[in-house]
Amino acid sequence: MIGVVFEEGFREQGEALAAKLNLPLVQDPEAFQYGLRITSPGLEIADLHKKQRPIRVDFHQLNDERSGGDLLKAVNTKTHKTVLDATGGLGRDAFTLAKAGCTVILMEKNPIIHALLEDGLLRAKDLQAVQRMTLLHADSFSAIPEHPAEVIYLDPMYPARKKDALPKLEMQVFHALLGAEQNELELLQMALQHARKRVVVKRPIHAPVIQAPSLQFKGKTTRFDVYLK
């Protein structure tokens, strides 16, 4: 499904990455849907059969964007300064919170997504926000109790859309790597046991609540369900 490819001059790095992640090197692109590709701008995941923008973690680009109003309100970054992002993903929300002054621990259990995050953080280590971010290769169910924080932030995987048109590359890859099924209720209850102040859950705007929240902050396509301790 996914193998390692590399640009000319990156063979050594490519072979090392393939060995580290236990992935094959791509010899025949027809045999793979996706490639974990080492390039000059950074590590990325690309669809080897369709022209789509590859997935890459680029915190310098995010640093130039203004976003996160509802997220910052839901976390209440004016008061809460320590956040555990237990479902790190590509780190966008964690970076937004760090940019607002929070110290953020990110957990990501999938080794391929973790590698993308690790690469992105390394390339952006000059940014003050990135210096407030710590990445852990960990499963949130077992690691949450070991990392107490004022706020625990969750962005659980949402089931694939039941439409003929495929979702964008990022969602396709996440479903392929992580699967669509997560025990959202169990994860929320774990977070509620260990967050000191609140738990914030990111959801598509029309998705059902996992359990009744204390507060909600709604945007056009996304909402944040807030559970106060």
Side-chain angles (χ1 to χ4, degrees), residues 62-63 65-83 91-104 127-133 150:
L62 290 176
N63 195 51
E65 298 177 359
R66 290 187 178 182
S67 61
D70 288 334
L71 170 62
L72 302 185
K73 292 175 186 176
V75 171
N76 188 6
T77 55
K78 292 183 178 180
T79 301
H80 304 132
K81 296 300 182 183
T82 59
V83 180
R92 295 190 188 99
D93 290 339
F95 180 80
T96 298
L97 293 169
K99 192 176 174 182
C102 296
T103 299
V104 184
L127 297 178
Q128 287 188 354
V130 166
Q131 294 167 18
R132 289 191 284 268
M133 298 166 66
E150 292 172 295

Side-chain angles (χ1 to χ4, degrees), residues 143-209:
I144 280 177
E146 301 174 6
H147 299 278
E150 292 172 295
V151 180
I152 296 180
Y153 179 70
L154 305 175
D155 182 7
M157 176 67 68
Y158 193 63
R161 298 179 298 181
K162 296 179 180 179
K163 296 182 179 180
D164 291 335
L166 288 172
K168 63 181 180 177
L169 176 62
E170 184 176 311
M171 190 56 67
Q172 293 176 44
V173 169
F174 269 66
H175 279 290
L177 294 178
L178 302 178
E181 298 300 324
Q182 288 183 320
N183 192 326
E184 298 171 338
L185 179 58
E186 185 178 346
L187 184 59
L188 173 58
Q189 290 174 341
M190 169 73 77
L192 285 169
Q193 290 177 30
H194 296 281
R196 293 204 295 266
K197 298 295 184 180
R198 64 177 61 188
V199 176
V200 177
V201 181
K202 185 178 184 178
R203 301 288 280 168
I205 189 67
H206 297 301
V209 297

Side-chain angles (χ1 to χ4, degrees), residues 2-4 14-25 36 111-112:
I2 187 168
V4 174
E15 291 176 343
L17 182 65
K20 177 182 178 181
L21 300 180
N22 195 27
L23 293 174
L25 289 171
L36 184 61
I112 296 173

Side-chain angles (χ1 to χ4, degrees), residues 37-141:
R37 188 161 63 192
I38 299 177
T39 69
S40 299
L43 189 65
E44 63 187 28
I45 294 178
D47 190 317
L48 299 180
H49 302 285
K50 298 177 182 177
K51 289 186 177 180
Q52 300 189 64
R53 179 178 294 180
I55 301 169
R56 186 188 307 131
V57 176
D58 188 346
F59 291 119
H60 283 105
Q61 180 179 338
L62 290 176
N63 195 51
D64 296 331
E65 298 177 359
R66 290 187 178 182
S67 61
D70 288 334
L71 170 62
L72 302 185
K73 292 175 186 176
V75 171
N76 188 6
T77 55
K78 292 183 178 180
T79 301
H80 304 132
K81 296 300 182 183
T82 59
V83 180
L84 172 59
D85 183 346
T87 51
L90 296 178
R92 295 190 188 99
D93 290 339
F95 180 80
T96 298
L97 293 169
K99 192 176 174 182
C102 296
T103 299
V104 184
I105 294 176
L106 301 86
M107 292 179 180
E108 179 50 57
K109 67 177 182 179
N110 183 273
I112 296 173
I113 299 173
H114 177 272
L116 289 177
L117 266 175
E118 188 175 48
D119 178 72
L121 289 168
L122 183 62
R123 286 185 286 104
K125 61 184 180 180
D126 58 305
L127 297 178
Q128 287 188 354
V130 166
Q131 294 167 18
R132 289 191 284 268
M133 298 166 66
T134 301
L135 175 63
L136 303 178
H137 188 194
D139 177 78
S140 53
F141 280 103

